[in-house]
Amino acid sequence: MERWKGRVALVTGASVGIGAVTAKELVRFGMKVVGCARNVDKIQDLAAECKSAGYSGMLIPFKCDLTNLEEIQSMFAAIKEEHKGVDVCINNAGLAHAEPLLSGKTSGWKNMLDVNVLALSICTREAYQSMKERSIDDGHIINLNSMCGHRILPNADIHFYTATKYAVTALTEGLRQELREAKTHIKATCISPGLVETEFAPRLYSQNAEKAASVYTHYKALEAIDVANAIVYVLSAPPHVQIGDIQMRSVEQIA
């Protein structure tokens, strides 16, 4: 991680879960991390925690609604003005609504597409343009995918969410191909964890606390730090090594 010291990383969805832990780890390794979310209170607390811990990097909270194109573009403009640009883009923000294909609400489907697919694609484009205009040839774009992007579980609550993650699989490989065609050494990677114990289930089943709590009782799930460690591993790879996808899950998880 030595080569990333002082470089700028954008982490979306940095207020909780995988995003928060990843942002903290990158700051610990000396990076300037712009952590964005709709509510930055928790990111501000995390930034103070990083500072008090004496980490060599810094965490910059940034309020941004990823369903709003203008806010995303304003965020990248601010990063350009204050920090020159983005060297690493970690598209972590994602969500799921329990909206089955046969009876789900269109608003829930649209929200998943807006965050999981469109925001990811917009941030990817803006990050690449930031790198290109500064002749950055060693940047990295990392998409937080899911095992749901590689197989379909018999669970109607997450079928539409699964479709958005299949899109992330396709988008990451398509990005890799386009980067090669552009003759750049910028890398594209997706991280595909299985069940991770975060705020994901409580938010998915926000109307059913008992069901949300039961999600993590069947076996020892992954923890956010496990995924953050995978991201650090990917960033630590030598310049000539590109890791396309890391599929990871609990040793007790069946599917």
Side-chain angles (χ1 to χ4, degrees), residues 24-25 27-30 49-58:
K24 183 178 179 180
E25 283 299 290
V27 171
R28 186 168 69 85
F29 281 106
E49 183 182 328
C50 290
K51 186 174 182 179
S52 65
Y55 293 163
S56 56
M58 63 184 298

Side-chain angles (χ1 to χ4, degrees), residues 140-153:
H140 208 139
I141 297 168
I142 299 174
N143 294 330
L144 257 294
N145 197 352
S146 166
M147 285 302 298
C148 284
H150 301 280
R151 46 79 169 127
I152 302 168
L153 294 175

Side-chain angles (χ1 to χ4, degrees), residues 19-156:
V21 175
T22 298
K24 183 178 179 180
E25 283 299 290
L26 296 184
V27 171
R28 186 168 69 85
F29 281 106
M31 295 193 75
K32 292 181 184 176
V33 180
V34 177
C36 81
R38 286 179 299 175
N39 188 324
V40 297
D41 291 347
K42 291 182 179 179
I43 305 178
Q44 290 171 341
D45 292 341
L46 187 61
E49 183 182 328
C50 290
K51 186 174 182 179
S52 65
Y55 293 163
S56 56
M58 63 184 298
L59 178 57
I60 304 110
F62 200 99
K63 183 178 175 60
C64 181
D65 180 355
L66 292 173
T67 66
N68 186 310
L69 172 61
E70 289 73 24
E71 289 198 21
I72 297 174
Q73 291 175 325
S74 294
M75 175 176 66
F76 274 90
I79 294 172
K80 178 180 179 178
E81 183 177 347
E82 297 171 23
H83 310 288
K84 296 184 179 179
V86 172
D87 301 311
V88 173
C89 178
I90 300 178
N91 289 307
N92 165 76
L95 52 81
H97 299 293
E99 303 290 358
L101 301 179
L102 299 183
S103 59
K105 295 184 181 68
T106 303
S107 58
W109 296 345
K110 186 177 184 302
N111 190 223
M112 284 185 271
L113 283 173
D114 284 345
V115 176
N116 299 1
V117 180
L118 281 178
L120 176 146
S121 299
I122 295 166
C123 287
T124 294
R125 179 190 67 204
E126 297 301 311
Y128 170 70
Q129 293 299 329
S130 172
M131 296 173 199
K132 182 181 177 182
E133 69 183 19
R134 293 175 296 126
S135 299
I136 297 298
D137 195 47
D138 65 342
H140 208 139
I141 297 168
I142 299 174
N143 294 330
L144 257 294
N145 197 352
S146 166
M147 285 302 298
C148 284
H150 301 280
R151 46 79 169 127
I152 302 168
L153 294 175
N155 180 351

Side-chain angles (χ1 to χ4, degrees), residues 152-177:
I152 302 168
L153 294 175
N155 180 351
D157 288 341
I158 59 170
H159 282 160
F160 197 94
Y161 167 78
T162 295
T164 68
K165 290 304 181 178
Y166 264 79
V168 173
T169 300
L171 288 167
T172 306
E173 174 56 18
L175 173 63
R176 187 194 67 80
Q177 293 179 13

